[in-house]
């Protein structure tokens, strides 16, 4: 975060710096050294040490025996509550997507090295896809995960995949970092991600990222492969992109004090 951004809007500098450090810790996988925070934030070490000592005392960070700092357990409740709120914001947009396509729509966010589903509007078909809200899955085998990773810096993607591993869910799952980087380049070119039986045999899913979502988010539609192959991507992808942009705007307005 630049100094100009820290001071934008006349915010409280110490609060802005605190959240900047928490976000940097999350970007690093949840555990960092003070020197890493100093390099990435540009803040003086004494300032970082003072903020981290306060976060540790409040339970929002922990200091490991190695002297490195990790995110603390009190953040879990905040994250769970925020995910529920985000799901309620997304539901009207997902309802429009399901009405237009007839298939189940979802919203998911990146949490650490995994994808968490935070909202869903189910299809009315008797045979439909159902993913429980709150379910966690590996990012590499899902359309939502790939859509989110396509918006991350390549080094962050490599760290995420290396940390989480890339176990095969089906014979179609991408299982190497190199192949995933090639897939993410295609996603950036075509504007959407596809899960073609990579998470579950016989299931196809299209996803687009929600632009500018702080935690990394995506919306998707999913259904049986036979029905999904009849959906024209030229029709549904622009709709998903429009809804993702509108949701991003809605979230941005909702976050403006």
């Amino acid at each position: 975060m630049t100094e100009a951004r820290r001071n934008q809007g006349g915010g409280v500098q110490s609060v802005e710096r605190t959240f900047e450090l928490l976000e940097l810790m999350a970007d690093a996988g949840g555990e960092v050294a003070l020197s890493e925070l100093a390099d990435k934030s540009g803040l003086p070490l004494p300032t970082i040490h003072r903020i981290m000592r306060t976060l540790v005392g409040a339970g929002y960070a922990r200091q490991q025996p190695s002297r490195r700092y990790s995110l603390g357990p009190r953040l879990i409740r905040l994250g769970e509550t925020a995910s529920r709120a985000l799901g309620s914001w997304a539901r009207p947009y997902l309802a429009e997507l399901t009405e237009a396509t007839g298939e189940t729509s979802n919203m998911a966010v990146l949490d650490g090295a995994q994808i968490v589903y935070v909202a869903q509007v189910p299809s009315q078909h008797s045979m439909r896809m159902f993913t429980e809200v709150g379910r966690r899955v590996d990012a590499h085998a899902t359309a939502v995960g790939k859509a989110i990773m396509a918006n991350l810096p390549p080094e962050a993607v490599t760290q995420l995949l290396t940390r989480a591993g890339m176990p095969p869910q089906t014979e179609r799952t991408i299982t190497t970092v190199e192949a995933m980087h090639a897939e993410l380049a295609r996603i950036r070119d075509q504007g959407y991600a596809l899960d073609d039986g990579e998470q579950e045999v016989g299931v196809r899913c299209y996803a687009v990222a929600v632009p500018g979502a702080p935690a990394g988010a995506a919306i998707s539609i999913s259904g049986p492969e036979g029905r999904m192959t009849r959906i024209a991507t030229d029709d549904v992808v622009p709709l998903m992109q429009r809804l993702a942009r509108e949701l991003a705007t809605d979230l941005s307005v909702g976050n403006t004090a």
Side-chain angles (χ1 to χ4, degrees):
M1 182 186 292
T2 65
E3 194 64 33
R5 184 181 166 192
R6 288 188 188 112
N7 295 331
Q8 186 178 12
V12 179
Q13 187 181 63
S14 60
V15 175
E16 291 173 341
R17 287 174 167 177
T18 298
F19 281 105
E20 178 184 2
L21 295 179
L22 288 171
E23 289 178 359
L24 287 173
M25 292 174 71
D27 291 343
E31 184 176 314
V32 293
L34 283 181
S35 59
E36 295 173 59
L37 290 176
D39 289 342
K40 293 178 180 178
S41 69
L43 295 173
L45 271 173
T47 299
I48 295 173
H49 187 264
R50 185 169 61 252
I51 292 172
M52 296 307 301
R53 190 169 62 240
T54 301
L55 288 171
V56 169
Y60 294 109
R62 299 180 67 180
Q63 188 170 28
Q64 306 295 341
S66 63
R67 309 298 294 174
R68 293 168 65 85
Y69 287 89
S70 63
L71 296 174
R74 289 197 67 184
L75 290 169
I76 295 173
R77 182 174 65 88
L78 297 181
E80 290 174 345
T81 303
S83 293
R84 288 194 296 270
L86 184 59
S88 67
W89 280 88
R91 210 158 286 116
Y93 299 93
L94 299 182
E96 182 175 345
L97 183 55
T98 292
E99 183 178 359
T101 63
E103 300 297 344
T104 297
S105 58
N106 301 280
M107 182 175 185
V109 299
L110 182 65
D111 183 18
Q114 289 190 307
I115 293 297
V116 182
Y117 289 92
V118 296
Q120 180 181 89
V121 174
S123 166
Q124 296 302 307
H125 290 291
S126 57
M127 181 181 292
R128 60 179 183 262
M129 298 302 102
F130 178 78
T131 299
E132 183 180 0
V133 172
R135 182 188 179 197
R136 293 175 173 269
V137 296
D138 292 334
H140 73 288
T142 65
V144 285
K146 291 191 289 184
I148 292 171
M149 287 192 292
N151 284 327
L152 297 177
E155 59 274 16
V157 171
T158 298
Q159 291 174 5
L160 185 156
L161 296 174
T162 302
R163 185 167 67 249
M166 302 178 68
Q169 305 299 322
T170 74
E171 62 180 13
R172 296 182 180 179
T173 306
I174 297 173
T175 57
T176 68
V177 173
E178 293 76 13
M180 181 58 71
H181 279 297
E183 172 77 354
L184 298 181
R186 285 192 292 272
I187 291 169
R188 286 188 287 270
D189 287 341
Q190 66 192 14
Y192 70 93
L194 170 66
D195 163 10
D196 191 12
E198 297 160 54
Q199 174 69 26
E200 187 175 345
V201 175
V203 175
R204 176 174 280 201
C205 179
Y206 299 106
V208 300
V210 178
I219 60 174
S220 68
I221 56 169
S222 58
E225 187 174 3
R227 285 206 310 265
M228 293 291 289
T229 53
R230 295 194 291 271
I231 292 180
T233 55
D234 289 345
D235 294 330
V236 73
V237 170
L239 170 62
M240 295 176 70
Q241 291 171 334
R242 174 178 65 80
L243 291 172
R245 288 193 302 269
E246 291 176 359
L247 174 57
T249 300
D250 206 357
L251 292 172
S252 177
V253 171
N255 286 332
T256 301

